[in-house]
Amino acid sequence: QEHLVESGGALVQAGGSLRLSCAASGRTFSNYGMGWFRQAPGKEREFVAGISGNGGTTYYADSAKGRFTISRDNAKNTVYLRVIILKPEDTAFYYCARSYTGAACTRVSTHANWGQGTQVTVSS
């Protein structure tokens, strides 16, 4: 059975940094693109970053460019999201997700399985 487990969320001050992790099991990890999404209270889930199965292609939401970095370690079956210069508007539940293919994808509908999420709260 496939599982995605996020970790690394925390309460941090504005200007700080975090690294979120998502550990995957149950499938051949390198065969699939992975994505990070986030959902703030009262808002729809939105794309943050995506990475292809071999790590060669990455996509970022406009709001994430310059401060967010997605990466993966296929030997560890883990995808990461590094965030710097955190802002209060980054406060949200962050989810990782597996895409249906090896490509990096940007839409919720192109992801087949989701983790439970990890909370990031940024105080001003």
Side-chain angles (χ1 to χ4, degrees), residues 21-113:
S21 300
C22 173
S25 61
R27 284 183 181 262
T28 303
F29 184 65
S30 59
N31 285 352
Y32 299 96
M34 298 293 295
W36 283 98
F37 293 75
R38 67 185 182 184
Q39 188 166 18
K43 295 188 176 181
E44 292 187 354
R45 192 167 298 189
E46 65 174 2
F47 169 74
V48 176
I51 188 168
S52 60
N54 64 8
T57 301
T58 56
Y59 294 129
Y60 294 92
D62 287 343
S63 60
K65 291 177 182 176
R67 296 191 299 118
F68 290 68
T69 304
I70 189 170
S71 62
R72 66 191 296 160
D73 185 338
N74 286 345
K76 295 182 178 180
N77 289 357
T78 302
V79 61
Y80 305 97
L81 185 69
R82 173 74 171 167
V83 191
I84 62 172
I85 316 176
L86 279 156
K87 303 176 181 180
E89 51 264 42
D90 295 321
T91 295
F93 242 86
Y94 283 72
Y95 299 89
C96 72
R98 172 185 63 80
S99 69
Y100 284 100
T101 71
C105 302
T106 63
R107 293 178 293 172
V108 170
S109 62
T110 56
H111 289 78
N113 196 30

